mmCIF file of all heavy atoms in Angstrom:
data_model
loop_
_atom_site.group_PDB
_atom_site.id
_atom_site.type_symbol
_atom_site.label_atom_id
_atom_site.label_comp_id
_atom_site.label_asym_id
_atom_site.label_seq_id
_atom_site.Cartn_x
_atom_site.Cartn_y
_atom_site.Cartn_z
ATOM 1 N N GLY D 1 147.643 102.361 109.882
ATOM 2 C CA GLY D 1 146.350 101.791 110.147
ATOM 3 C C GLY D 1 146.305 100.427 110.783
ATOM 4 O O GLY D 1 146.666 99.444 110.148
ATOM 5 N N PRO D 2 145.846 100.318 112.062
ATOM 6 C CA PRO D 2 145.360 99.035 112.563
ATOM 7 C C PRO D 2 144.143 98.605 111.738
ATOM 8 O O PRO D 2 143.498 99.439 111.107
ATOM 9 C CB PRO D 2 144.967 99.356 114.011
ATOM 10 C CG PRO D 2 145.713 100.607 114.346
ATOM 11 C CD PRO D 2 145.796 101.378 113.058
ATOM 12 N N TYR D 3 143.826 97.327 111.756
ATOM 13 C CA TYR D 3 142.722 96.862 110.927
ATOM 14 C C TYR D 3 142.037 95.658 111.565
ATOM 15 O O TYR D 3 142.632 94.918 112.350
ATOM 16 C CB TYR D 3 143.211 96.505 109.519
ATOM 17 C CG TYR D 3 144.314 95.459 109.475
ATOM 18 C CD1 TYR D 3 144.013 94.100 109.316
ATOM 19 C CD2 TYR D 3 145.649 95.818 109.598
ATOM 20 C CE1 TYR D 3 145.017 93.139 109.277
ATOM 21 C CE2 TYR D 3 146.660 94.870 109.559
ATOM 22 C CZ TYR D 3 146.339 93.536 109.397
ATOM 23 O OH TYR D 3 147.337 92.590 109.374
ATOM 24 N N PHE D 4 140.753 95.498 111.210
ATOM 25 C CA PHE D 4 139.982 94.352 111.678
ATOM 26 C C PHE D 4 140.482 93.083 111.001
ATOM 27 O O PHE D 4 140.646 93.036 109.777
ATOM 28 C CB PHE D 4 138.495 94.536 111.363
ATOM 29 C CG PHE D 4 137.814 95.566 112.215
ATOM 30 C CD1 PHE D 4 137.586 96.844 111.733
ATOM 31 C CD2 PHE D 4 137.393 95.253 113.495
ATOM 32 C CE1 PHE D 4 136.952 97.801 112.499
ATOM 33 C CE2 PHE D 4 136.753 96.206 114.287
ATOM 34 C CZ PHE D 4 136.533 97.477 113.791
ATOM 35 N N GLY D 5 140.731 92.058 111.791
ATOM 36 C CA GLY D 5 141.106 90.756 111.262
ATOM 37 C C GLY D 5 140.008 89.737 111.520
ATOM 38 O O GLY D 5 138.929 90.083 112.024
ATOM 39 N N PRO D 6 140.263 88.493 111.202
ATOM 40 C CA PRO D 6 139.268 87.448 111.459
ATOM 41 C C PRO D 6 139.232 87.058 112.933
ATOM 42 O O PRO D 6 140.078 87.481 113.723
ATOM 43 C CB PRO D 6 139.774 86.285 110.595
ATOM 44 C CG PRO D 6 141.264 86.488 110.544
ATOM 45 C CD PRO D 6 141.465 87.983 110.531
ATOM 46 N N GLU D 7 138.233 86.289 113.289
ATOM 47 C CA GLU D 7 138.131 85.708 114.628
ATOM 48 C C GLU D 7 138.084 86.759 115.735
ATOM 49 O O GLU D 7 138.617 86.565 116.828
ATOM 50 C CB GLU D 7 139.310 84.752 114.892
ATOM 51 C CG GLU D 7 139.548 83.710 113.823
ATOM 52 C CD GLU D 7 138.333 82.793 113.623
ATOM 53 O OE1 GLU D 7 137.605 82.560 114.620
ATOM 54 O OE2 GLU D 7 138.114 82.339 112.488
ATOM 55 N N GLY D 8 137.440 87.897 115.465
ATOM 56 C CA GLY D 8 137.229 88.882 116.521
ATOM 57 C C GLY D 8 138.480 89.570 117.017
ATOM 58 O O GLY D 8 138.580 89.903 118.214
ATOM 59 N N GLU D 9 139.427 89.774 116.125
ATOM 60 C CA GLU D 9 140.676 90.432 116.516
ATOM 61 C C GLU D 9 140.916 91.686 115.673
ATOM 62 O O GLU D 9 140.380 91.833 114.576
ATOM 63 C CB GLU D 9 141.866 89.482 116.354
ATOM 64 C CG GLU D 9 141.898 88.346 117.368
ATOM 65 C CD GLU D 9 143.119 87.461 117.193
ATOM 66 O OE1 GLU D 9 143.427 87.106 116.040
ATOM 67 O OE2 GLU D 9 143.755 87.126 118.215
ATOM 68 N N ILE D 10 141.731 92.566 116.215
ATOM 69 C CA ILE D 10 142.252 93.729 115.503
ATOM 70 C C ILE D 10 143.766 93.573 115.447
ATOM 71 O O ILE D 10 144.406 93.246 116.452
ATOM 72 C CB ILE D 10 141.884 95.039 116.225
ATOM 73 C CG1 ILE D 10 140.370 95.269 116.173
ATOM 74 C CG2 ILE D 10 142.622 96.224 115.621
ATOM 75 C CD1 ILE D 10 139.895 96.404 117.066
ATOM 76 N N PHE D 11 144.330 93.771 114.265
ATOM 77 C CA PHE D 11 145.778 93.673 114.105
ATOM 78 C C PHE D 11 146.372 95.083 114.042
ATOM 79 O O PHE D 11 145.796 95.988 113.432
ATOM 80 C CB PHE D 11 146.137 92.897 112.845
ATOM 81 C CG PHE D 11 145.793 91.431 112.920
ATOM 82 C CD1 PHE D 11 144.603 90.943 112.398
ATOM 83 C CD2 PHE D 11 146.658 90.544 113.533
ATOM 84 C CE1 PHE D 11 144.283 89.605 112.471
ATOM 85 C CE2 PHE D 11 146.354 89.194 113.609
ATOM 86 C CZ PHE D 11 145.164 88.716 113.080
ATOM 87 N N ALA D 12 147.532 95.239 114.668
ATOM 88 C CA ALA D 12 148.191 96.548 114.675
ATOM 89 C C ALA D 12 149.697 96.372 114.772
ATOM 90 O O ALA D 12 150.180 95.444 115.431
ATOM 91 C CB ALA D 12 147.698 97.385 115.849
ATOM 92 N N GLN D 13 150.416 97.259 114.100
ATOM 93 C CA GLN D 13 151.858 97.343 114.310
ATOM 94 C C GLN D 13 152.093 98.214 115.532
ATOM 95 O O GLN D 13 151.673 99.366 115.565
ATOM 96 C CB GLN D 13 152.557 97.938 113.087
ATOM 97 C CG GLN D 13 152.568 97.023 111.885
ATOM 98 C CD GLN D 13 153.477 97.556 110.788
ATOM 99 O OE1 GLN D 13 154.619 97.913 111.036
ATOM 100 N NE2 GLN D 13 152.958 97.607 109.579
ATOM 101 N N TRP D 14 152.772 97.660 116.516
ATOM 102 C CA TRP D 14 152.931 98.341 117.800
ATOM 103 C C TRP D 14 154.400 98.447 118.157
ATOM 104 O O TRP D 14 155.210 97.560 117.832
ATOM 105 C CB TRP D 14 152.187 97.567 118.879
ATOM 106 C CG TRP D 14 152.447 98.080 120.276
ATOM 107 C CD1 TRP D 14 151.792 99.090 120.922
ATOM 108 C CD2 TRP D 14 153.454 97.617 121.188
ATOM 109 N NE1 TRP D 14 152.321 99.289 122.176
ATOM 110 C CE2 TRP D 14 153.347 98.387 122.365
ATOM 111 C CE3 TRP D 14 154.437 96.627 121.122
ATOM 112 C CZ2 TRP D 14 154.179 98.198 123.466
ATOM 113 C CZ3 TRP D 14 155.274 96.432 122.220
ATOM 114 C CH2 TRP D 14 155.133 97.211 123.382
ATOM 115 N N GLN D 15 154.761 99.528 118.824
ATOM 116 C CA GLN D 15 156.109 99.700 119.365
ATOM 117 C C GLN D 15 156.050 100.707 120.495
ATOM 118 O O GLN D 15 155.080 101.466 120.639
ATOM 119 C CB GLN D 15 157.085 100.179 118.288
ATOM 120 C CG GLN D 15 156.722 101.517 117.673
ATOM 121 C CD GLN D 15 157.690 101.923 116.574
ATOM 122 O OE1 GLN D 15 158.886 102.088 116.815
ATOM 123 N NE2 GLN D 15 157.162 102.082 115.354
ATOM 124 N N ASP D 16 157.075 100.707 121.326
ATOM 125 C CA ASP D 16 157.259 101.779 122.291
ATOM 126 C C ASP D 16 158.747 102.062 122.405
ATOM 127 O O ASP D 16 159.543 101.565 121.596
ATOM 128 C CB ASP D 16 156.595 101.470 123.634
ATOM 129 C CG ASP D 16 157.231 100.302 124.381
ATOM 130 O OD1 ASP D 16 158.310 99.808 123.959
ATOM 131 O OD2 ASP D 16 156.668 99.881 125.408
ATOM 132 N N ALA D 17 159.157 102.854 123.369
ATOM 133 C CA ALA D 17 160.542 103.295 123.436
ATOM 134 C C ALA D 17 161.533 102.159 123.630
ATOM 135 O O ALA D 17 162.697 102.279 123.246
ATOM 136 C CB ALA D 17 160.711 104.325 124.556
ATOM 137 N N VAL D 18 161.080 101.042 124.211
ATOM 138 C CA VAL D 18 162.011 99.945 124.501
ATOM 139 C C VAL D 18 161.713 98.677 123.711
ATOM 140 O O VAL D 18 162.422 97.679 123.854
ATOM 141 C CB VAL D 18 162.034 99.628 126.014
ATOM 142 C CG1 VAL D 18 162.574 100.816 126.787
ATOM 143 C CG2 VAL D 18 160.653 99.242 126.527
ATOM 144 N N HIS D 19 160.681 98.689 122.870
ATOM 145 C CA HIS D 19 160.336 97.527 122.047
ATOM 146 C C HIS D 19 160.247 97.941 120.580
ATOM 147 O O HIS D 19 159.454 98.835 120.245
ATOM 148 C CB HIS D 19 158.984 96.936 122.460
ATOM 149 C CG HIS D 19 158.944 96.412 123.863
ATOM 150 N ND1 HIS D 19 158.524 97.183 124.928
ATOM 151 C CD2 HIS D 19 159.284 95.194 124.378
ATOM 152 C CE1 HIS D 19 158.587 96.472 126.025
ATOM 153 N NE2 HIS D 19 159.054 95.263 125.728
ATOM 154 N N PRO D 20 161.030 97.326 119.706
ATOM 155 C CA PRO D 20 160.895 97.629 118.277
ATOM 156 C C PRO D 20 159.563 97.154 117.733
ATOM 157 O O PRO D 20 158.836 96.395 118.394
ATOM 158 C CB PRO D 20 162.066 96.879 117.638
ATOM 159 C CG PRO D 20 162.407 95.805 118.597
ATOM 160 C CD PRO D 20 162.070 96.321 119.958
ATOM 161 N N SER D 21 159.238 97.576 116.526
ATOM 162 C CA SER D 21 157.935 97.307 115.938
ATOM 163 C C SER D 21 157.622 95.821 115.877
ATOM 164 O O SER D 21 158.467 94.998 115.510
ATOM 165 C CB SER D 21 157.881 97.900 114.525
ATOM 166 O OG SER D 21 156.621 97.696 113.950
ATOM 167 N N GLN D 22 156.405 95.485 116.253
ATOM 168 C CA GLN D 22 155.921 94.103 116.176
ATOM 169 C C GLN D 22 154.440 94.112 115.825
ATOM 170 O O GLN D 22 153.728 95.079 116.123
ATOM 171 C CB GLN D 22 156.154 93.355 117.491
ATOM 172 C CG GLN D 22 155.586 94.039 118.709
ATOM 173 C CD GLN D 22 156.015 93.375 120.005
ATOM 174 O OE1 GLN D 22 155.209 92.739 120.691
ATOM 175 N NE2 GLN D 22 157.287 93.526 120.351
ATOM 176 N N LEU D 23 153.997 93.068 115.153
ATOM 177 C CA LEU D 23 152.585 92.928 114.815
ATOM 178 C C LEU D 23 151.882 92.217 115.961
ATOM 179 O O LEU D 23 152.268 91.097 116.324
ATOM 180 C CB LEU D 23 152.428 92.140 113.520
ATOM 181 C CG LEU D 23 150.998 91.963 113.001
ATOM 182 C CD1 LEU D 23 150.378 93.309 112.641
ATOM 183 C CD2 LEU D 23 150.968 91.015 111.793
ATOM 184 N N ILE D 24 150.878 92.877 116.537
ATOM 185 C CA ILE D 24 150.153 92.287 117.655
ATOM 186 C C ILE D 24 148.674 92.167 117.306
ATOM 187 O O ILE D 24 148.168 92.845 116.404
ATOM 188 C CB ILE D 24 150.317 93.107 118.948
ATOM 189 C CG1 ILE D 24 149.714 94.512 118.792
ATOM 190 C CG2 ILE D 24 151.792 93.179 119.355
ATOM 191 C CD1 ILE D 24 149.682 95.308 120.093
ATOM 192 N N ALA D 25 147.987 91.299 118.033
ATOM 193 C CA ALA D 25 146.539 91.124 117.892
ATOM 194 C C ALA D 25 145.863 91.636 119.154
ATOM 195 O O ALA D 25 146.331 91.391 120.269
ATOM 196 C CB ALA D 25 146.189 89.663 117.651
ATOM 197 N N LEU D 26 144.763 92.358 118.959
ATOM 198 C CA LEU D 26 143.965 92.881 120.063
ATOM 199 C C LEU D 26 142.571 92.287 120.007
ATOM 200 O O LEU D 26 142.038 92.014 118.925
ATOM 201 C CB LEU D 26 143.855 94.408 119.966
ATOM 202 C CG LEU D 26 145.136 95.212 119.791
ATOM 203 C CD1 LEU D 26 144.791 96.680 119.563
ATOM 204 C CD2 LEU D 26 146.051 95.055 120.985
ATOM 205 N N ASP D 27 141.957 92.098 121.159
ATOM 206 C CA ASP D 27 140.563 91.689 121.204
ATOM 207 C C ASP D 27 139.706 92.810 120.626
ATOM 208 O O ASP D 27 139.794 93.958 121.063
ATOM 209 C CB ASP D 27 140.154 91.388 122.650
ATOM 210 C CG ASP D 27 138.752 90.837 122.747
ATOM 211 O OD1 ASP D 27 137.793 91.619 122.566
ATOM 212 O OD2 ASP D 27 138.597 89.624 122.997
ATOM 213 N N ALA D 28 138.867 92.499 119.646
ATOM 214 C CA ALA D 28 138.108 93.525 118.929
ATOM 215 C C ALA D 28 137.012 94.153 119.777
ATOM 216 O O ALA D 28 136.436 95.175 119.387
ATOM 217 C CB ALA D 28 137.496 92.935 117.668
#
C-alpha cells in the first residue's frame, strides 16, 4: 500500500528491474 502523507504527498515503496526498493514521494 502506497499511502497519503502530509504536505500534499503520497508515499510509496517503489522499485523496477534495475533499482532496488526505495521510499519515494509523489505529488498527491
Side-chain angles (χ1 to χ4, degrees):
Y3 57 93
F4 288 100
E7 309 300 329
E9 289 182 315
I10 293 170
F11 291 96
Q13 290 190 49
W14 172 86
Q15 61 182 299
D16 66 9
V18 296
H19 297 93
S21 182
Q22 54 189 251
L23 183 64
I24 63 172
L26 309 174
D27 185 287

